[in-house]
Amino acid sequence: MKRFWLTLWMFAATVILALANWPVPAADGRTQFPTTGVLRIPVVLVDFADMRFPWDYQSRVNMALNGYPGDFPGADEFTAAQYFKTCSGGRLDVRFEVAHITLPKVSSYFDKGGNRLLGEFLELAAAKDPALDFARFDADQDGMLDTVIFIYAGESRTNTDYWFADWSHHVDYTTLMERVDCGPISLHGKLLDRCALIPQQFTDGSPVGIVGPVCHEVCHVLGVPDMATLSPTIPSRTPGVWSVMDTGCLNAGGHCPPLMSAYERWYCRWLEPEDISLSDEPQRLVLPSAGTERNRVLRLEFPIEKDTISENPQREYLLLESRTQQGWDRELPGEGLLVWHVLYNQSSWEYNVVNTYGNSRVSPAYSDVGNCDALWPSERGISWYLPEMSDELLPRLKYREPFHPVLTDVRYDALRREATAILSTACERPEIPVRLNEALITGHRQVTVSWQPCEADTVFVSIWAEQNSGKPRYVDGCCNEVHTAAGDTLRVLKVPEDLWEAEHYVSVTPVRRLPAEGDTLRFIPKELNYASSIEDIALPADAIPQYYTITGLPLRERPTEPGLYLRRTGRRTEKIFIH
């Protein structure tokens, strides 16, 4: 539900502010903002006349951002300040200065009124003149405040104005002034340009973890654009929980954002990846995980033709890094190799629409798209990467020559905290004949699909129905299911009523180190033949026995409940009694 409100807010915010100019990247495609030394960030807690923070909230926020006073071990672990020390390798020291003000208006006053009341909120907050020396919050010395982070008391209000949302919300005040009747705000000689608003609580009353949203906003100060989509009606593939610039800033309720990705650290000039030179000989890649002293990131640049590069520079490449569920990454859904697909053009970065309007310009290349698995090896055992795995991956631009990088034998060693893989320029796909049998109706809203055994290590099976959107709807959760090649050659489906007359597809893909050419069958459940008996279902003689109820309904595994059952092996059927 929070993801829904997040995207709803982002769409509304885009209408007013997303087209405001974002910091323009340098000629090398990286930030121009200073990312080393000391960066001071003002944080202002805002009470309303009728809604106030708890008496100790300021000290709690200060500890969450800067750490506990004293020198005892772990005093500054998992604070926002420590987050940037870790991501930057000690190059950036972020120091937060926290102040507290009370506005004369009640909170409900700001519920309606759109951008005009947003401007009034900021003017009232500035008029209170928080006890901070704002002259010190201009790291790039452009006369503008780098940012001011406002944390307001109470719950977010997603059903009213967009700026009270379930998210840390970036505001471009300069653009806002052009749209509503509010004047410039000057604090100690520095003009308010960009700021951020963060609620104390989500709409369900649970507290918003301060560390993740604040780290998200500080990354904006450093020039890093949003990685989430700003157009929820036009889907784009985004990093999700893998990026602090997407929903990752809300990992563990906002308390534990993931480490900045390899791309984001490179963008801030804290990381220099090693470029991979392709050769005819396979190369073994070793990638110690992010967060370790041995951390290694590799880049595979795509050879773009020069005539595709115009005044809007474009680059396309892969970044390979390893992630492990420790430290800041402890809340990630898994560990292993991440392959980042980057398709850069300056205008998308300048207008903060990197993964918006259907474009996916910085996102993980999913190992298992249907199951939203971004790690190699995937949870279901996919340990290879091929350019043709998804039409949303690569290549996207025009190349001087055929470009077909292949990763095989991807492994992750949790003890050593490193991923390994073999990189080749081409590989020979195995030839493993496999054939699907006719699908049959075997019960009420029940379809059985089967295939001939083959000489593979495993067989991946997917069954889906076509939707008007063009995206597959996987039936009974059957997406890249792993089956043993010899004995597990049957799948029983529970077909929903609304799909009984829909066009379905079943694909089987045999795998022996790499996937071979598989077989695909099209069917409409309503038009299938009924299995007159279990004799209609042929199993190979050496197959694992298939079990049925006494009425002929297939079972997924050997029954354990007492009763009378049928057991089918090859073409032999016998009754068995379990007691």
Side-chain angles (χ1 to χ4, degrees):
M1 193 64 178
K2 288 177 182 176
R3 173 71 176 175
F4 169 78
W5 287 120
L6 160 66
T7 53
L8 180 64
W9 162 76
M10 287 184 167
F11 175 74
T14 303
V15 174
I16 302 298
L17 301 175
L19 294 182
N21 284 339
W22 199 255
V24 179
D28 61 355
R30 304 162 92 173
T31 184
Q32 300 192 62
F33 192 88
T35 57
T36 58
V38 175
L39 175 62
R40 301 182 187 277
I41 299 292
V43 178
V44 180
L45 308 183
V46 181
D47 281 334
F48 300 102
D50 63 335
M51 190 177 298
R52 299 175 182 272
F53 289 109
W55 66 271
D56 63 342
Y57 194 75
Q58 182 171 348
S59 62
R60 283 156 49 191
V61 168
N62 189 57
M63 288 188 292
L65 300 183
N66 293 309
Y68 294 84
D71 262 343
F72 59 89
D76 58 355
E77 190 175 15
F78 302 119
T79 64
Q82 184 59 38
Y83 178 84
F84 288 99
K85 288 180 182 176
T86 301
C87 291
S88 69
R91 297 175 181 86
L92 181 65
D93 181 7
V94 181
R95 300 178 187 178
F96 299 92
E97 300 189 21
V98 184
H100 196 167
I101 63 173
T102 301
L103 297 187
K105 303 284 189 180
V106 296
S107 61
S108 59
Y109 174 80
F110 298 98
D111 279 358
K112 295 180 180 179
N115 295 298
R116 182 185 63 78
L117 284 180
L118 173 56
E120 184 176 347
F121 170 88
L122 295 174
E123 288 179 325
L124 287 171
K128 284 293 181 179
D129 194 12
L132 297 173
D133 181 6
F134 283 90
R136 298 183 303 152
F137 303 128
D138 180 14
D140 56 357
Q141 296 297 309
D142 63 352
M144 302 282 190
L145 291 168
D146 298 326
T147 193
V148 180
I149 297 176
F150 295 97
I151 302 175
Y152 60 85
E155 297 180 6
S156 56
R157 293 161 171 78
T158 51
N159 60 337
T160 55
D161 198 2
Y162 74 83
W163 65 282
F164 278 123
D166 269 0
W167 191 251
S168 54
H169 175 195
H170 178 85
V171 177
D172 186 328
Y173 186 72
T174 303
T175 302
L176 184 67
M177 285 193 300
E178 298 173 359
R179 288 164 169 76
V180 299
D181 185 20
C182 56
I185 295 176
S186 177
L187 293 167
H188 301 174
K190 300 292 182 178
L191 290 174
L192 178 65
D193 181 23
R194 293 181 171 90
C195 59
L197 299 166
I198 302 174
Q200 177 194 3
Q201 299 172 335
F202 291 113
T203 50
D204 61 5
S206 60
V208 175
I210 294 301
V211 174
V214 166
C215 289
H216 176 100
E217 296 305 335
V218 173
C219 285
H220 277 323
V221 173
L222 300 175
V224 185
D226 283 304
M227 297 298 165
T229 181
L230 301 180
S231 58
T233 57
I234 309 175
S236 301
R237 175 175 295 163
T238 72
V241 298
W242 296 98
S243 172
V244 68
M245 304 312 293
D246 199 347
T247 57
C249 75
L250 291 181
N251 287 0
H255 295 285
C256 189
L259 289 171
M260 294 173 70
S261 70
Y263 175 78
E264 290 157 354
R265 285 180 285 142
W266 172 84
Y267 189 83
C268 289
R269 303 182 184 276
W270 299 329
L271 172 72
E272 296 299 332
E274 300 177 36
D275 285 305
I276 304 174
S277 298
L278 291 178
S279 65
D280 294 334
E281 295 297 321
Q283 304 176 57
R284 184 173 185 269
L285 310 179
V286 180
L287 294 105
S289 288
T292 66
E293 292 183 0
R294 301 183 303 128
N295 177 223
R296 185 187 188 203
V297 174
L298 300 177
R299 178 171 55 199
L300 185 58
E301 192 91 32
F302 292 3
I304 304 172
E305 282 193 346
K306 289 185 178 180
D307 60 13
T308 67
I309 300 177
S310 60
E311 295 179 359
N312 188 4
Q314 288 192 313
R315 294 175 65 191
E316 188 171 13
Y317 54 89
L318 300 179
L319 284 175
L320 281 64
E321 68 167 335
S322 173
R323 303 294 283 267
T324 188
Q325 290 174 303
Q326 295 186 26
W328 288 103
D329 284 351
R330 68 186 185 274
E331 296 294 330
L332 290 177
E335 51 191 14
L337 177 69
L338 272 184
V339 179
W340 292 91
H341 178 213
V342 181
L343 180 64
Y344 174 77
N345 72 7
Q346 183 173 307
S347 62
S348 296
W349 269 246
E350 184 176 344
Y351 288 99
N352 191 26
V353 288
V354 173
N355 290 328
T356 297
Y357 307 133
N359 293 311
S360 298
R361 298 188 178 277
V362 178
S363 65
Y366 281 16
S367 56
D368 188 344
V369 176
N371 291 296
C372 297
D373 194 340
L375 289 169
W376 269 273
S378 74
E379 185 178 349
R380 296 175 184 250
I382 297 176
S383 60
W384 60 87
Y385 171 83
L386 303 169
E388 62 266 29
M389 284 179 69
S390 169
D391 58 5
E392 295 182 34
L393 297 184
L394 57 107
R396 296 282 296 277
L397 301 178
K398 186 179 178 183
Y399 303 108
R400 292 193 301 267
E401 55 195 36
F403 187 75
H404 300 289
V406 176
L407 287 176
T408 56
D409 301 298
V410 181
R411 296 193 181 0
Y412 180 76
D413 188 327
L415 187 62
R416 295 178 60 84
R417 297 173 65 185
E418 68 180 23
T420 57
I422 304 298
L423 174 67
S424 308
T425 54
C427 67
E428 200 170 318
R429 302 276 288 275
E431 293 185 11
I432 309 173
V434 64
R435 185 171 65 84
L436 281 156
N437 301 319
E438 178 187 358
L440 295 170
I441 297 175
T442 53
H444 178 66
R445 304 289 181 202
Q446 182 174 282
V447 172
T448 296
V449 298
S450 61
W451 53 94
Q452 300 296 321
C454 58
E455 298 179 355
D457 297 329
T458 55
V459 173
F460 283 81
V461 180
S462 295
I463 304 170
W464 68 95
E466 292 288 354
Q467 299 185 102
N468 291 334
S469 64
K471 289 190 173 295
R473 177 179 169 183
Y474 293 99
V475 182
D476 205 14
C478 189
C479 174
N480 278 341
E481 279 190 353
V482 182
H483 293 252
T484 58
D488 190 7
T489 58
L490 179 145
R491 178 63 157 90
V492 181
L493 298 174
K494 298 292 185 182
V495 181
E497 185 174 355
D498 64 317
L499 294 182
W500 193 245
E501 299 183 20
E503 191 172 62
H504 286 62
Y505 294 86
V506 54
S507 71
V508 291
T509 304
V511 176
R512 192 193 304 133
R513 187 168 175 261
L514 280 172
E517 194 72 33
D519 192 18
T520 302
L521 175 71
R522 173 191 169 277
F523 66 89
I524 297 175
K526 181 183 177 181
E527 299 176 358
L528 293 177
N529 295 321
Y530 283 81
S532 58
S533 71
I534 63 173
E535 303 300 328
D536 291 339
I537 301 176
L539 296 176
D542 59 348
I544 296 174
Q546 179 66 44
Y547 295 89
Y548 300 81
T549 67
I550 196 65
T551 59
L553 297 179
L555 300 172
R556 293 296 303 276
E557 55 189 15
R558 188 182 189 279
T560 57
E561 295 293 324
L564 190 62
Y565 298 90
L566 298 176
R567 179 170 60 191
R568 174 82 166 157
T569 306
R571 293 196 174 277
R572 179 184 177 188
T573 305
E574 57 187 342
K575 292 180 181 179
I576 62 171
F577 181 69
I578 295 178
H579 54 83

